[in-house]
Amino acid sequence: MPCPHNEITIVQRSQRQSAVAAAAYQSGEKLFCEYDQQVKHYPEKRGIVHNEILLPPNAPQEYADRNTLWNAAEAIEKQWNSQLARRIVLAIPREIPPEQHADLIRDYCREFFVSKGMIADFAIHDPVRPKGAEPNPHIHILVPIRPLKEDGTWGIKEKKIPVMDEQGNPVLDKNGKQAYRAVSTTGWSSKETCQTIKDRLLEDSVDVLSDDSKVVATGYGRVAVDFADHVITEITCHARGGREMAGDECAIIDVGGQDTKIIL
């Protein structure tokens, strides 16, 4: 049966990360980041077969340019620890023909992001594999944290709504005042998206909760997958994969868009 994989993380300055760098990595383009005045380029990245930006109707047309878009998304964030973008990586089932990949991802992005006023920058990767290795087609999607307002300017990330009990009465905080909770203005969150992906897989007869399936959550967003059978760190995931492919005596060098890991 298919082995669906998805990873959802947040690009954030507190981790020394850059939305421009993330866009350069997944697209294969050379971009200039105005925030740190550095060129972002990853020439060693291979296997990028398609990249595209999808805009909602109210988006400024200049955001179709990747460099303009991501510098604008960075410029609106003023804090040293600002969250800049959501990054989603999804595996493509090998049974799907390559000529259908782009249309499939366009439909996905339009349904889950563009329809909610969000911009989606996606790239399809199909890296060259060693002889005899199985292909690994997958998608990178980068979405600004902020939605766009009707006038095309950046909106707020979240709003506060009052907390009410089951009877509709106000819930008070420890100081005796009305309690509030933060809600994403797009109605989108990592946890909700994990649930939606699970439901969509079930529609395609892939039940991740069946006795024959195992769900392993990894990456920074692993805490959002509350139905996972196992939760492991990204380092552990890389180490186990390397051991499975190359045996006990191996070294793993993971050069990503935001950081580099060496695992011995």
Side-chain angles (χ1 to χ4, degrees):
M1 67 176 295
C3 182
H5 164 82
N6 75 85
E7 179 181 355
I8 304 171
T9 57
I10 299 291
V11 179
Q12 47 193 331
R13 286 196 184 128
S14 61
Q15 300 295 321
R16 299 181 181 274
Q17 296 173 346
S18 160
V20 176
Y25 175 80
Q26 72 173 42
S27 68
E29 296 181 4
K30 182 186 292 187
L31 304 178
F32 179 75
C33 180
E34 296 172 1
Y35 180 78
D36 60 13
Q37 295 293 297
Q38 292 183 2
V39 173
K40 311 296 183 181
H41 189 212
Y42 301 90
E44 71 282 353
K45 187 65 180 175
R46 298 290 187 271
I48 303 171
V49 298
H50 183 83
N51 65 67
E52 186 174 334
I53 294 174
L54 297 176
L55 302 175
N58 55 316
Q61 285 305 302
E62 56 263 31
Y63 286 174
D65 175 75
R66 188 164 283 108
N67 207 86
T68 301
L69 165 63
W70 291 110
N71 274 296
E74 293 238 14
I76 195 65
E77 306 298 346
K78 308 302 182 183
Q79 303 299 319
W80 68 271
N81 59 348
S82 291
Q83 295 184 345
L84 306 170
R86 290 186 178 94
R87 179 171 45 197
I88 302 102
V89 181
L90 300 171
I92 303 177
R94 290 187 289 271
E95 295 80 4
I96 299 177
E99 58 270 19
Q100 296 181 15
H101 290 175
D103 287 338
L104 178 71
I105 304 311
R106 284 191 198 99
D107 290 344
Y108 175 86
C109 289
R110 285 169 178 154
E111 178 177 353
F112 290 103
F113 305 116
V114 179
S115 66
K116 299 179 180 181
M118 305 168 79
I119 299 172
D121 182 359
F122 77 87
I124 300 172
H125 293 191
D126 192 2
V128 177
R129 308 285 283 174
K131 186 176 181 180
E134 293 183 341
N136 179 31
H138 57 279
I139 314 116
H140 291 251
I141 307 172
L142 201 62
V143 183
I145 293 286
R146 293 177 184 269
L148 290 172
K149 296 189 292 186
E150 291 187 4
D151 63 0
T153 59
W154 296 107
I156 58 174
K157 297 178 181 178
E158 58 186 23
K159 60 184 178 181
K160 293 182 178 180
I161 63 172
V163 179
M164 314 296 284
D165 63 19
E166 294 180 356
Q167 287 73 43
N169 300 313
V171 173
L172 305 181
D173 61 20
K174 61 182 181 181
N175 297 317
K177 298 181 179 180
Q178 171 71 62
Y180 292 86
R181 64 186 179 93
V183 176
S184 170
T185 52
T186 61
W188 194 98
S189 72
S190 298
K191 190 170 185 177
E192 291 169 359
T193 298
C194 288
Q195 183 65 40
T196 301
I197 291 172
K198 183 184 73 171
D199 294 342
R200 289 291 295 272
L201 287 170
L202 187 60
E203 292 176 7
D204 294 333
S205 301
V206 180
D207 184 3
V208 298
L209 300 183
S210 70
D211 293 337
D212 298 328
S213 300
K214 292 294 182 183
V215 177
V216 179
T218 187
Y220 294 125
R222 59 186 178 272
V223 296
V225 191
D226 55 9
F227 53 86
D229 297 289
H230 302 285
V231 177
I232 61 176
T233 67
E234 192 173 345
I235 299 294
T236 300
C237 180
H238 288 342
R240 290 185 180 179
R243 183 177 182 182
E244 178 69 22
M245 296 177 64
D248 293 340
E249 301 297 327
C250 70
I252 301 171
I253 301 176
D254 176 16
V255 181
Q258 304 297 331
D259 53 23
T260 298
K261 306 178 185 70
I262 301 176
I263 307 171
L264 302 175

